[in-house]
Amino acid sequence: MGASVDTNTSYLLKLFVAGDSSRTGLAVANLRHICEDEFPGCYELVIIDVLRHPGIAEENKILAAPTLIKERPLPVRRIIGDLSDKEKVLTGIGLLPPQR
Amino acid sequence: MFTHVPNYPQIEKIETGIIGFDLISSGGLPKGRTTLVSGTAGSAKTLFAVQFLAEGIQRSGDAGIFVTFEEEPADIRRNVKSLGWDIEAWEAEGKWLFVDASPDPVQDQVESGRYDLGALLARIEYAVAKIGATRLSMDSLGAIFAQFRDAAIVRSELFRIAYVLRQLKVTSIMTSERTQEYGEIGRFGVEEFVADNVLILRNVLEDEKRRRTMEILKYRGTSHQKGEFPFTIVSGRGILAIPLSAMELNQKSSIVRISSGNDDLDRMCGGGFFRDSIILASGATGTGKTLITTEFLKGGAKHGERCLLFAFEESREQLFRNAEGWGIDFEAMETAGLLKVVCAYPESASLEDHLIEMKDIIEHYKPNRIAVDSLSAMERVATPKGFREFVISLTSFIKHQEVAGLFTSTTPTLMGGTSVTETHISTLTDSIILLRYVETNGSMRRGLTVLKMRGSIHDKDILEFNIDGTGMHLGEPFHHITGILAGNPRDVSFG
C-alpha cells in the first residue's frame, strides 16, 4: 500500500481507552486530527471505555490503554499509546510504508 | 525447637493444597498477597500456577482466574488434561475464568506515544468480580515484558495490578522465567520487587540426573522452612513436594517387642526388635541379608501381622524360590493376606517418584512391618544428596506409621567395609545388624553381630552362623579371631 489515500475507502477505527483521563483526552484529540487530516469524511470512529465495558476489552484482547484498532479496511492493525507520533500511527494503520 | 519469631503483624495464609508446599511454607501462600514463582524453562512454573487454582476449586470451591500472557487458553486446557484437571468443566461451573493476554501471532503492534496497561487491569478486575475469585495466577511475566517495548511501564503496571489484587483480597501467583538455576531471581531483575514473596522452582541436572526442587527465598513477614526441597510431578496429582526437615520428630517409642522371625537373633537382641523401630542389616553380597528379610516377614505373618516387602534387587519368582529354599511359604502368606511383595527396578523411576509410590502403597496396605531389600540399590539412581534425602524421608515416614522397618544395605567390598546407605542411615536406625564374611584357614565362614540396639541390652559377640533348609542358625562366637568388622580377620589363638 502506497502513501496515497483512496478517498473511497471507509475506515473503521476503534479506540479503547481507560476512563476519562488526560491520556484518554489526548489520544482522542490526536486521533481526530489525524482522521480529519488524512481521510476527512470517510471514517467511522468508535470510542470504548474499558472501565465501563471490560467484557468488550476481553473479547478484543486489549491490554494497553489507549489501544487503537483499525478494523477496516483489512488487514486489522493495532496501535497502542496516546497517538502523539502521527507518523507511527499512519505506518501502523498502513497509510505509510514501514520505515527503512 | 526454638524459633525466633519476629514481631510482625500476623499474616494469614491460605493452603494451596499442593502437598508438601503447604508444609514448607508453614501454611500456604500469604492471603491477599502476590507471590512470585520463578524458574528456568521446564521447571514446572505453569503447572504450579494451574495447580494453585485447581486445588482451590477441588478442595474448597474457591474460584480462580488464570491470566495467560504466553500460551493460549486452548493449549493450557489440553496440556493439563493428562493431570486429571478438566478446566472446561470448571469454566462451565463458573469456577475458572481465563483472561487471555497471550500475544497475537499475526498482528504486529505499533507503539505511538504513552500508554499503560489499564485495559488489562480492567479485565482482571472484571473477571475477579464476575466469578467471585479469591485466587489468581499470572503466567508468565517474561511474556508480557516481551509484548511491550517499555519495561518500566510494564513493571509499574504489575505493581498496580498487585496492589489492586491486594485490595480485592485475592491471593495471587506471578510466574517468571530465569536463565540460570542459581543467580538473579528473574530475567528482568525487577520481578522480586513486584511481589512480597518469592518461590524458586529448580530443575537441576546433577550427575546426569534431573532433580526438581523448590525453595522459598523470601516470605515477607512470615515464617517458612528454609532451603531446597525436592519435588516431583505425578500424573493425576501434579506437583508433590517432599519436605523432610519439615517433618516433626514426634514419633513415640514403643517397648513392645516383636520377633525378628529368628529365635537366635531375637535372643541376641534381648528379646526381639522393638515394634516401631528401624533396623538396618548390612553386609556384602551373599552374606544373608535377603534371608534375614525373609525371616523377618515370616516372623510377622506368624503372628498375624501384615507384611510389606519392597524388593529392588530380585524378581518375585526369585524371592519366592529363595523363601521356599529356607522353608518359608510366601505364597501361603500372600493368600492369607499377610504379605504384599512389590518388586521394582530402581532405574524404573526417579527417587522422588519411588518415594511417593512407596508412601502410597504403605498408606493403602497399612502394614505392621515393612522390609526394603535392598535400600542401597537405590544409590544407583540418585545423587548422594538426593539419596540421603530419600533415606531420611522414607525413614521418618515409616517411623510415623509406628511400624517396624527392616532395611538392607549391600556393602561394596566383600570383606568388611561400609556403604553410603549405612553412613546416611546409621543415626536414624534403632538397630544395626552387621553380616560379614570371615576367612579362616582357607575357608569362608559367615558371622553376624548386633552393633546397635537402641534402648535395649544386646549380645555383643560376633556369632558364626549357618544357613540350611530351615533358615539361619546362629552358633558360637568367633573366639581367637580379631579384625572381622574391619574386613581383616586374623587368627590370634596362638597369641
Side-chain angles (χ1 to χ4, degrees), chain A residues 19-36:
Chain A
D20 199 9
S21 67
S22 59
R23 187 170 290 158
T24 295
L26 187 59
V28 172
N30 282 335
L31 184 58
R32 287 226 158 95
H33 275 127
I34 293 168
C35 289
E36 283 306 316

Side-chain angles (χ1 to χ4, degrees), chain B residues 251-311:
Chain B
Q251 49 274 44
K252 287 164 258 162
S253 269
S254 170
I255 49 154
V256 177
R257 302 265 187 171
I258 59 166
S259 169
S260 70
N262 183 298
D263 295 344
D264 295 340
L265 187 55
D266 283 350
R267 254 195 308 279
M268 267 193 101
C269 294
F273 301 142
F274 287 115
R275 194 187 60 201
D276 55 0
S277 63
I278 301 279
I279 305 112
L280 177 71
S282 167
T285 177
T287 44
K289 294 185 302 296
T290 300
L291 172 56
I292 286 205
T293 309
T294 307
E295 293 197 326
F296 175 69
L297 299 170
K298 179 199 75 181
K302 200 174 148 191
H303 294 95
E305 295 178 14
R306 292 159 72 81
C307 304
L308 176 61
L309 170 64
F310 292 105

Side-chain angles (χ1 to χ4, degrees), chain B residues 29-41:
Chain B
L29 291 174
K31 192 171 182 176
R33 306 298 175 96
T34 301
T35 300
L36 181 76
V37 177
S38 187
T40 53

